[in-house]
């Protein structure tokens, strides 16, 4: 059977100021996608940008250019950032793509024709920066519950999506699909704070700006962000077109990875749109926490903004990836600081992994001119290392399926830590002094190289650049997950590649 995996990040508001928090979500999605590919799945990993709305129209006006010119420029910035982080997305959708615009228009019309969308009058409170409407009961003191800014009162003719009609069905669905919303704290929040008090119909069109997809049968209106943005997950697959093979193959999505601030849209509005379209719901929406700096959200206005490329240039892409994946218990908020990045890089990447590879290759060069032979002089002490290497994939699998990515990485690093311990226990430098122990020494070195290979095969999903460097240094092409079922895929009589420091210890300034 062909195994498929469809994973998405949110489509981001195109900004010139993407910060480390954006990178966090995308690096996690990338590692999940890479892991599934290595595990034999056909993967579709999608990210993109959400490019319509009043805010962008205004920014373009300020800059004296068209909205399309404005978004083209900021989108190229996003694409450049993902490239510098080795993000392996398969599709990058822009909501200004013609196909997307056409399909969203069809979806809106279809929902209107079947009376899931109706025309009414909107009176209420609106937050322009967040592009969110709020009811007076949601907005205390006339302030936006999301950003705390002042709301403005608006009144206009608008189209509405009947959320209320579907609320019982949605609650029933969430209760009968325990994995649909994770973590469970967010699920409870959605049920108790939003669904149970009763859903109000949602305003899904606007007349106060033009930069959006027009309602096909009422050109004064543009389709508001929810239907436009959320539909990206199916428009990109050819939904409602003659060429919908990908849609048939990949929908429903396996995982929508989202920040906690947009869980509500992905677990209430989006499922109801899908129910109205008579489509299956995604298997899971996971709302992760934020990567914050010294307890604060990152933003230019708070003055804690730094372009992630500055960190990448300074510390290397895999130090950044490793920090994001390893430091934050998934689902919770994590704290980012340069000090903790340095600590993490030194402790794990330099002292454990870098040191292991460097020491092992150094000994192989010194004692055997860099040629790895396996003379099979086994001792009991080897078994612990070999058993650990062979049993790790299963542990990593389990943690990855539960999105416990930090734990999965810890499983992999256990091989590296154990290998360092194995060096201390077998004392190769002492063996080297006794010519009769030469064959035992060769076996010890082989076991170390093979253990490094085992860990690196798994590490590829997380740190692709570092893994490629290690494979080159140990000179092996046994890199697939199929080579993890037994110890000994590393070929005897291999000549090692050139030794190179993977991670130098960073001295704090
Ligand atoms: Zn707001």
């Amino acid at each position: 059977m062909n195994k498929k995996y469809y994973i998405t990040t949110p489509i981001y508001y195109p900004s010139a100021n993407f910060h480390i928090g954006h990178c966090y979500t995308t690096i996690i999605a990338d590692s999940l996608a890479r892991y599934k590919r290595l595990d034999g799945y056909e993967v579709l990993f999608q990210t993109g940008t959400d490019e319509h709305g009043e805010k962008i129209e205004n920014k373009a006006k300020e800059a004296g250019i068209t909205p399309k010119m404005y978004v083209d420029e900021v989108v190229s910035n996003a694409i450049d950032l993902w490239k510098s982080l080795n993000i392996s997305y398969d599709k990058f959708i822009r909501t200004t793509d013609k196909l997307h615009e056409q399909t969203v228009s069809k979806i809106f019309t279809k929902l209107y024709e079947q009376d899931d969308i109706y025309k009414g009058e909107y009176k209420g409170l609106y937050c322009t920066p967040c592009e969110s409407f709020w009811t007076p009961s949601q907005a205390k003191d006339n302030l936006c519950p999301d950003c705390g800014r002042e709301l403005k009162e608006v009144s206009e003719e608008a189209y509405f999506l009947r959320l209320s009609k579907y609320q019982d069905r949605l609650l029933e669905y969430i209760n009968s699909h325990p994995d649909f919303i994770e973590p469970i704290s967010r699920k409870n929040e959605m049920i108790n704070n939003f669904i149970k008090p009763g859903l109000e119909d949602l305003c899904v069109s606007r007349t106060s700006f033009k930069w959006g997809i027009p309602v096909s049968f009422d050109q004064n209106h543009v389709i508001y962000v929810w239907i436009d943005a959320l539909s990206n997950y199916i428009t990109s697959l050819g939904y409602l077109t003659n060429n919908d093979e990908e849609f048939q193959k990949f929908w429903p999505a396996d995982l929508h990875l989202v920040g906690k601030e947009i869980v509500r849209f992905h677990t209430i509005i989006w499922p109801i749109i899908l129910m109205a379209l008579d489509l299956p719901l995604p298997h899971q929406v996971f709302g992760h926490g934020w990567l914050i700096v010294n307890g604060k959200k990152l933003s230019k206005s708070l003055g804690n903004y730094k372009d992630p490329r500055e960190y990448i240039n300074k510390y290397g892409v895999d130090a950044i990836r490793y920090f994001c994946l390893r430091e934050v218990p998934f689902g919770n908020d994590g704290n980012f600081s340069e000090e903790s990045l340095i600590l993490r890089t030194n402790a794990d990447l330099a002292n454990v992994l870098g040191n292991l590879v460097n020491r092992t290759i150094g000994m192989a060069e010194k004692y055997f001119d860099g040629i790895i032979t396996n003379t099979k002089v086994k001792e009991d002490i080897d078994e612990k290392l070999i058993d650990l290497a062979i049993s790790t994939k299963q542990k990593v699998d389990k943690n990855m399926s539960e999105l416990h990515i930090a734990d999965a990485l810890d499983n992999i690093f256990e091989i590296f830590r154990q290998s360092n311990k194995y060096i201390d226990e077998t004392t190769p430098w002492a063996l080297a002094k006794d010519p009769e122990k030469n064959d035992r020494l060769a076996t010890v070195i082989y076991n170390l190289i093979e253990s490094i290979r085992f860990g690196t095969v798994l590490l590829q999903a997380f740190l692709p650049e570092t893994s490629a460097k290690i494979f080159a240094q140990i000179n092996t092409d046994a890199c697939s997950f199929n080579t993890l079922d037994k110890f000994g895929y590393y070929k005897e009589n291999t000549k090692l590649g050139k030794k190179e420091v993977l991670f130098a210890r960073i001295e704090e300034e």
Side-chain angles (χ1 to χ4, degrees):
M1 199 187 75
N2 204 3
K3 301 183 290 182
K4 70 92 188 169
Y5 186 72
Y6 179 25
I7 178 173
T8 68
T9 72
I11 50 170
Y12 299 108
Y13 172 75
S15 160
N17 304 322
F18 273 178
H19 53 62
I20 194 90
H22 293 105
C23 300
Y24 173 61
T25 312
T26 312
I27 290 167
I28 289 164
D30 181 63
S31 294
L32 287 162
R34 285 176 184 271
Y35 194 83
K36 287 288 183 184
R37 284 189 203 108
L38 286 160
D39 216 11
Y41 284 73
E42 188 172 355
V43 170
L44 180 59
F45 167 24
Q46 177 164 305
T47 188
T49 39
D50 172 15
E51 303 182 11
H52 292 125
E54 190 172 14
K55 206 168 19 165
I56 286 169
E57 190 176 81
N58 290 341
K59 288 214 168 180
K61 213 176 280 170
E62 276 168 35
I65 52 178
T66 65
K68 185 69 168 71
M69 284 161 75
Y70 175 79
V71 291
D72 281 350
E73 192 180 317
V74 284
V75 165
S76 67
N77 174 60
I79 289 172
D80 178 73
L81 177 59
W82 299 152
K83 202 174 157 201
S84 67
L85 281 166
N86 284 327
I87 303 301
S88 64
Y89 59 79
D90 301 293
K91 271 183 196 278
F92 189 101
I93 186 168
R94 302 180 54 178
T95 56
T96 51
D97 290 341
K98 272 285 152 288
L99 174 68
H100 173 81
E101 294 189 339
Q102 285 162 359
T103 308
V104 167
S105 178
K106 285 187 217 169
I107 289 171
F108 195 97
T109 305
K110 182 174 157 69
L111 295 176
Y112 178 71
E113 283 170 356
Q114 67 192 38
D115 195 37
D116 280 309
I117 285 178
Y118 63 92
K119 196 172 195 174
E121 166 97 346
Y122 181 79
K123 277 199 193 81
L125 302 164
Y126 183 68
C127 178
T128 307
C130 295
E131 300 186 28
S132 290
F133 285 106
W134 300 97
T135 61
S137 64
Q138 289 168 323
K140 278 195 197 107
D141 306 324
N142 216 28
L143 298 177
C144 171
D146 274 350
C147 74
R149 291 185 181 87
E150 193 144 341
L151 299 168
K152 68 179 178 191
E153 218 162 305
V154 293
S155 165
E156 61 182 36
E157 187 187 78
Y159 288 90
F160 288 84
L161 177 66
R162 294 188 195 279
L163 295 188
S164 52
K165 175 180 161 186
Y166 290 93
Q167 89 180 36
D168 293 343
R169 220 176 118 187
L170 178 63
L171 187 60
E172 154 68 23
Y173 186 90
I174 292 171
N175 285 330
S176 58
H177 295 78
D179 296 336
F180 177 55
I181 308 176
E182 290 269 8
I184 196 144
S185 57
R186 310 237 197 272
K187 170 159 108 180
N188 294 337
E189 186 191 343
M190 291 306 124
I191 293 175
N192 297 327
N193 298 3
F194 296 103
I195 304 175
K196 281 197 172 153
L199 297 175
E200 289 172 43
D201 291 347
L202 180 76
C203 181
V204 289
S205 78
R206 304 281 283 138
T207 52
S208 59
F209 63 92
K210 286 281 159 224
W211 181 238
I213 304 166
V215 172
S216 63
F217 50 87
D218 193 347
Q219 297 276 328
N220 282 334
H221 291 258
V222 292
I223 296 168
Y224 188 54
V225 60
W226 310 128
I227 290 181
D228 179 357
L230 290 165
S231 298
N232 88 84
Y233 302 126
I234 53 175
T235 61
S236 65
L237 306 180
Y239 174 63
L240 290 183
T241 70
N242 293 329
N243 186 7
D244 70 350
E245 253 169 69
E246 279 190 319
F247 178 74
Q248 298 300 339
K249 184 186 212 166
F250 285 104
W251 192 258
D254 295 271
L255 179 64
H256 289 322
L257 199 57
V258 302
K260 62 182 179 183
E261 75 285 5
I262 51 173
V263 168
R264 183 163 68 96
F265 313 133
H266 282 81
T267 58
I268 295 176
I269 300 171
W270 179 226
I272 287 177
I273 293 172
L274 290 167
M275 283 175 173
L277 293 171
D278 201 20
L279 295 176
L281 306 196
H283 292 304
Q284 187 168 86
V285 176
F286 193 101
H288 63 72
W290 290 330
L291 195 55
I292 49 188
V293 167
N294 301 326
K296 287 187 186 127
K297 247 193 115 171
L298 294 153
S299 82
K300 210 152 204 184
S301 59
L302 291 170
N304 58 3
Y305 173 79
K306 217 177 198 183
D307 191 303
R309 278 159 289 209
E310 286 183 43
Y311 300 119
I312 296 169
N313 293 336
K314 196 165 168 190
Y315 301 110
V317 56
D318 280 351
I320 308 302
R321 288 180 64 109
Y322 186 76
F323 181 89
C324 289
L325 295 164
R326 181 66 183 83
E327 188 79 6
V328 186
F330 206 38
N332 300 336
D333 288 342
N335 205 39
F336 177 85
S337 69
E338 226 163 318
E339 294 76 45
S340 47
L341 174 72
I342 290 170
L343 280 176
R344 195 43 101 173
T345 304
N346 283 343
D348 295 358
L349 298 178
N351 292 0
V352 176
L353 176 58
N355 193 28
L356 170 67
V357 174
N358 201 38
R359 275 211 288 176
T360 303
I361 294 180
M363 290 189 292
E365 285 173 347
K366 187 171 171 192
Y367 304 136
F368 299 104
D369 292 326
I371 294 167
I372 303 302
T373 54
N374 179 4
T375 48
K376 299 188 174 67
V377 183
K378 287 183 184 154
E379 289 186 8
D380 286 349
I381 196 171
D382 304 349
E383 288 309 313
K384 197 175 164 195
L385 185 63
I386 293 170
D387 288 348
L388 178 71
I390 292 171
S391 63
T392 298
K393 166 80 163 50
Q394 208 180 357
K395 291 179 224 164
V396 176
D397 276 347
K398 182 168 187 294
N399 277 321
M400 290 301 274
S401 71
E402 292 166 358
L403 305 187
H404 296 157
I405 295 178
D407 295 337
L409 268 174
D410 193 54
N411 295 145
I412 297 168
F413 270 71
E414 187 56 32
I415 299 180
F416 302 137
R417 284 191 294 267
Q418 189 60 43
S419 299
N420 276 321
K421 205 170 157 215
Y422 180 80
I423 296 177
D424 299 338
E425 289 168 347
T426 54
T427 59
W429 49 91
L431 297 172
K433 286 182 185 144
D434 182 351
E436 283 186 14
K437 302 254 172 80
N438 192 56
D439 287 352
R440 173 60 189 156
L441 178 59
T443 304
V444 166
I445 301 293
Y446 181 90
N447 288 345
L448 285 166
I449 293 281
E450 177 66 343
S451 296
I452 290 169
R453 188 192 68 80
F454 255 83
T456 308
V457 168
L458 291 164
L459 195 66
Q460 291 174 94
F462 309 90
L463 308 184
E465 186 181 279
T466 300
S467 303
K469 282 183 187 167
I470 297 174
F471 286 137
Q473 290 190 49
I474 66 172
N475 190 18
T476 186
D477 55 10
C479 312
S480 86
F481 278 8
N482 298 329
T483 63
L484 297 176
D485 58 336
K486 69 169 204 273
F487 206 79
Y489 278 97
Y490 190 80
K491 283 199 202 95
E492 285 185 57
N493 300 313
T494 300
K495 175 96 171 82
L496 295 178
K498 194 168 167 287
K499 191 167 87 167
E500 186 195 341
V501 173
L502 293 170
F503 296 95
R505 264 191 76 83
I506 307 161
E507 303 301 336
E508 278 198 72
E509 287 153 18

